[in-house]
Amino acid sequence: MTQSPTPHRIAVVAPSPVSMFNLAIPEMLFGKVEVDGRPGYEVVICAAEPGPVPTSGGLDLYVRHGLDAVRTADTLLVAGTGEPFEPDARIVAAVREAAADGKRIASLCTGAFQLAEAGLLHGRRATTYWAHAEELRRRYPHVDLCGDVLYVQDGPYVTSSGYAAGIDLCLHIIRTDYGAAVANEVARRALVAPVRPGGQTQFTQTPLPPERGNACADTRGWAMRNLDKPLTLTDLARHAGVSVRTLTRRFHAESGVSPLQWLLHQRIERAKELLETTDLPMDQVARASGLGTADSLRGHLVRRTGLTPSAYRAQFSRLGTGAAGVTSSVA
């Protein structure tokens, strides 16, 4: 996305009864984006009717702006609601108008019902909170529902699952607009996990350990410091002081993915950051991120982003035209 001198404007629509957590996520994350010393986003919360908006927690929030705010926005994000989550005809109309104007449109949690009612998701891949996936499938059978992922993008429409998956969706948007380095810096500042792949499962099959998800934290940190080395499951288990089987079980409980899936994701993220922030040749980027060869880097990046390494660098380089012009034999 081409950066402009003015912040990218995001209108966050609050249906009734809105999830307070859904509203907090975009304000928290987009508000931490700074690009070249200026805010990267302007977030405006709006509602079908300005004034008090009931929340799913039993409180009322005062929302100053009506749906006119959508017309001047670059991106429309529809928050989720508690039950009942019936689409609001006024919001549905605003969503259709935004789609006709070519805006990017996203939803958090049950906000997907508003997009589906507007017809945007017909024949497209989408997701929602897993507990309500069957209801969305029943109401809108023409939606290609991906019921167990964190978020999914199909064209200009992005939908997420519930709760913390909204964080992943917002980081995905930031990464799309400003690159992985900016998105991961926002994640660090907000003390949340780095950008996770959208295809990661929504929920784990085993309960979190008593350490509240920190049993493998030291090993994850050690792995992040050694991404350039050929780490194996045995290496990770040895560092953690447990068997491979125990490490795999704990890792999946804490991260939702296997150790090697997590490791590959971090390697690709490291490669993306190096492509954005350095002019290293592709073979050096591959070695520094632990992906081995330039051919391996190319294969993984194309599968993950649809872009070759040189195309990714040209689009997201933070070094200016000099770095963007770097090419390699794998492009």
Side-chain angles (χ1 to χ4, degrees):
M1 182 172 293
T2 302
Q3 299 175 16
S4 63
T6 56
H8 184 97
R9 199 163 195 255
I10 296 183
V12 181
V13 177
S16 176
V18 69
S19 162
M20 295 174 66
F21 187 53
N22 275 194
L23 290 184
I25 290 171
E27 189 281 328
M28 174 183 71
L29 295 178
F30 294 129
K32 293 186 182 301
V33 176
E34 198 171 278
V35 181
D36 298 331
R38 62 176 177 81
Y41 296 97
E42 176 189 353
V43 179
V44 178
I45 298 176
C46 58
E49 233 176 84
V53 175
T55 71
S56 56
L59 302 175
D60 285 351
L61 290 179
Y62 191 88
V63 178
R64 294 189 180 90
H65 301 282
L67 294 176
D68 286 348
V70 175
R71 295 193 177 97
T72 57
D74 302 297
T75 293
L76 167 61
L77 193 157
V78 182
T81 69
E83 296 186 51
F85 39 87
E86 294 299 325
D88 185 310
R90 296 164 296 181
I91 294 175
V92 169
V95 167
R96 286 186 178 133
E97 183 179 336
D101 289 341
K103 300 180 190 293
R104 177 173 57 194
I105 301 175
S107 67
L108 304 180
C109 195
T110 55
F113 283 77
Q114 311 276 358
L115 274 59
E117 183 68 18
L120 272 57
L121 304 182
H122 191 102
R124 292 183 180 271
R125 292 177 298 116
T127 192
T128 189
Y129 182 40
W130 64 267
H132 303 305
E134 285 306 315
E135 178 65 13
L136 190 141
R137 182 179 283 113
R138 183 187 67 79
R139 294 191 191 191
Y140 308 102
H142 296 294
V143 175
D144 182 5
L145 187 63
C146 306
D148 62 349
V149 298
L150 293 176
Y151 62 88
V152 61
Q153 177 159 5
D154 192 330
Y157 309 134
V158 197
T159 53
S160 84
S161 175
Y163 297 99
I167 295 174
D168 297 291
L169 179 143
C170 290
L171 288 174
H172 167 72
I173 288 175
I174 295 169
R175 180 178 59 185
T176 300
D177 292 346
Y178 296 110
V182 173
N184 286 333
E185 175 59 25
V186 169
R188 284 189 286 269
R189 292 178 63 190
L191 299 179
V192 298
V195 183
R196 294 189 289 177
Q200 181 170 321
T201 183
Q202 286 187 21
F203 56 94
T204 60
Q205 299 299 324
T206 54
L208 291 176
E211 296 84 356
R212 296 183 181 272
N214 293 321
C216 297
D218 287 345
T219 298
R220 287 196 296 269
W222 172 78
M224 290 292 290
R225 295 189 296 272
N226 291 276
L227 287 178
D228 59 326
K229 298 179 175 61
L231 301 177
T232 66
L233 266 177
T234 301
D235 295 328
L236 295 172
R238 184 181 298 117
H239 182 275
V242 297
S243 68
V244 168
R245 182 177 179 180
T246 298
L247 174 81
T248 301
R249 175 175 55 80
R250 289 182 180 176
F251 218 99
H252 195 281
E254 294 179 15
S255 304
V257 292
S258 73
L260 293 184
Q261 286 174 318
W262 178 89
L263 191 60
L264 176 60
H265 177 69
Q266 299 306 329
R267 292 191 192 284
I268 294 171
E269 289 302 305
R270 175 66 56 81
K272 287 159 68 177
E273 289 199 24
L274 290 172
L275 289 170
E276 293 173 24
T277 59
T278 76
D279 57 1
L280 289 172
M282 298 305 174
D283 58 344
Q284 292 186 33
V285 171
R287 288 197 299 271
S289 57
L291 292 173
T293 66
D295 284 340
S296 176
L297 166 67
R298 187 181 194 277
H300 284 298
L301 202 65
V302 167
R303 282 192 293 273
R304 183 63 58 85
T305 69
L307 298 173
T308 64
S310 59
Y312 184 90
R313 173 172 272 164
Q315 183 168 347
F316 294 115
S317 174
R318 303 291 297 148
L319 296 180
T321 56
V326 175
T327 59
S328 82
S329 61
V330 302

